Structures are given as structure tokens and as C-alpha cells.
Amino acid sequence: AQSVAQPEDQVNVAEGNPLTVKCTYSVSGNPYLFWYVQYPNRGLQFLLKYITGDNLVKGSYGFEAEFNKSQTSFHLKKPSALVSDSALYFCAVRVMNSGGYQKVTFGIGTKLQVIP
Amino acid sequence: GAGVSQSPRYKVAKRGQDVALRCDPISGHVSLFWYQQALGQGPEFLTYFQNEAQLDKSGLPSDRFFAERPEGSVSTLKIQRTQQEDSAVYLCASSLPPTRGDEKLFFGSGTQLSVL
């Protein structure tokens, strides 16, 4: 069974500082990894994805994520945090089978608080 | 439409009442997912459709939950004899045909169900 772990309920960072939101996964087969962001009273929005290739992927709003196969991690990063980045961040893993069936599993989310 | 549309936005039900939640996906999106998000938790998978076929309903918590997508577009999630533990935000997401599995999900704003 596939699973995603986000070990931190909340991450606090000062504006202008680099931020990291952690994610580890467990899946058999090739994982497709995603980060989504949820602002208050809004639906989840796609940030970035890792499929294959370069382990560092870049996404929306200046975010990037680093895939580490040996550590089964996919941490979200940003060099300089903005107050407007404060939101709930979800890591997700997607698995496809040969029959086209797919399942997307989400972590419990990490609340990012950027302090002015 | 421009995005995934869900209705109603809020629903208050008395315990034992039946409810129906609607999802109108992005035109052309073959894949449709339903998720349940309890307060402070990540989205929990309920069910997955590919066109009109319900390929996975393993996440439906009980036989009181039923989902359909008869014409491969609009989907309805029905909950019979609602219980207080059904109170949550129900999210619908759609995506393009799963050619590689890396297609991002587009989420609606959700239906917040409160069972009294």
C-alpha cells in the first residue's frame, strides 16, 4: 500500500528566510510525487510534480522540491519565504497500474506560517 | 467551465437524512476523484472514476456512501442516513486522461457537510 508522511504539523519561518517542508513516501513501483497547497476556504492547488529525471523540480510561486530516492523523500523548499506563502501544504503520491487504474494518496498536511 | 465546480458549498443535515453532493469536472477530464477531508486532516481517498466507470471505491467508508458518474461527466456523491462522523469537507478533483499518471489534479472548493 502506498503512503505519505509529513512529520511536521506546523513549520514557522521568518519572512525572507529559506523554508523546508518535509515529506517521505512509501510505494511499490515508480512513484509520481506531487505537492499541493491549500489556502483558507480554497480548494487544493497544484504546486509541482516529480516524475523522472532531474531530482530537483521547480514549480509555481518560486517553490522547488528535491527527490531523494535513497531516503524516499520529497521535501518542498523555497529560498526566501513570503508572508503570502502561509498556507497548508500537502504532499501526495500517485501510482498507476497497467490497467489504467490510479490512486492518489495525500499526507495529513503541514501548516506553514511565515512570520513578518 | 473554467474549473471544477462543486455544489452545494455548505450543507447542514440532520442525522439520518440523505444528502447528495454534486461535482462538475473540467470539460474533457476523464478522471474524477472524490476525497473526504476531516478537520485538520489531509484528503482521504473515497473513490475514482475513469469516464463513467468506477474503477476504485475502496475508500468509501460504508455502504451508506454511493457515487455515480452515469454519463462520464458530472458526478454525484450520495450519503444515506447521515451520521455525525460524516461531517467533513468533500472534495472533488478531475484530471486529464491518465496516459502517464503524472497529470495534476484540479480540485473544486469542496462541500462542507455538517451533520447535526
Side-chain angles (χ1 to χ4, degrees):
Chain A
Q2 61 200 72
S3 65
V4 174
Q6 293 182 244
E8 303 154 316
D9 289 337
Q10 181 161 335
V11 170
N12 297 319
V13 63
E15 186 177 24
N17 282 4
L19 69 88
T20 298
V21 181
K22 296 180 179 178
C23 171
T24 59
Y25 67 91
S26 174
V27 65
S28 56
N30 295 322
Y32 299 133
L33 296 161
F34 301 79
W35 276 99
Y36 287 82
V37 60
Q38 188 175 37
Y39 297 101
N41 299 314
R42 301 273 298 275
L44 279 77
Q45 299 175 36
F46 170 83
L47 267 184
L48 51 78
K49 66 182 179 183
Y50 170 82
I51 307 305
T52 187
D54 194 349
N55 288 343
L56 186 65
V57 293
K58 295 186 184 297
S60 308
Y61 313 120
F63 283 92
E64 55 190 29
E66 187 170 12
F67 172 69
N68 187 316
K69 187 174 182 179
S70 63
Q71 296 184 2
T72 61
S73 67
F74 189 56
H75 300 333
L76 181 70
K77 300 181 179 182
K78 187 173 182 180
S80 179
L82 300 172
V83 173
S84 57
D85 293 331
S86 298
L88 202 51
Y89 291 81
F90 292 95
C91 183
V93 62
R94 182 167 177 152
V95 175
M96 287 280 291
N97 69 10
S98 58
Y101 158 78
Q102 56 181 314
K103 191 167 187 175
V104 183
T105 301
F106 286 83
I108 64 170
T110 298
K111 182 179 180 181
L112 174 65
Q113 190 75 36
V114 181
I115 303 163
Chain B
V4 178
S5 177
Q6 290 188 248
S7 61
R9 183 71 179 88
Y10 302 95
K11 177 68 179 177
V12 178
K14 292 182 179 179
R15 191 172 58 179
Q17 185 179 354
D18 297 349
V19 298
L21 313 180
R22 176 188 170 104
C23 173
D24 203 336
I26 294 173
S27 179
H29 279 195
V30 167
S31 299
L32 187 145
F33 300 78
W34 282 100
Y35 286 85
Q36 180 190 60
Q37 186 176 19
L39 189 64
Q41 300 295 317
E44 291 285 340
F45 171 82
L46 292 177
T47 187
Y48 164 64
F49 288 87
Q50 190 169 315
N51 293 307
E52 68 279 4
Q54 189 175 20
L55 296 186
D56 185 1
K57 53 182 180 180
S58 63
L60 296 176
S62 76
D63 58 7
R64 296 185 295 103
F65 286 70
F66 172 76
E68 60 182 5
R69 195 185 184 197
E71 297 179 359
S73 56
V74 171
S75 177
T76 303
L77 176 66
K78 298 179 179 178
I79 309 173
Q80 297 176 327
R81 304 180 304 281
T82 53
Q83 303 294 316
Q84 284 187 326
E85 61 262 29
D86 300 335
S87 296
V89 175
Y90 290 85
L91 298 171
C92 176
S94 69
S95 71
L96 290 168
T99 51
R100 296 195 308 172
D102 62 343
E103 298 77 18
K104 63 184 180 182
L105 300 184
F106 293 81
F107 281 85
S109 296
T111 294
Q112 185 170 327
L113 173 65
S114 299
V115 181
L116 306 178

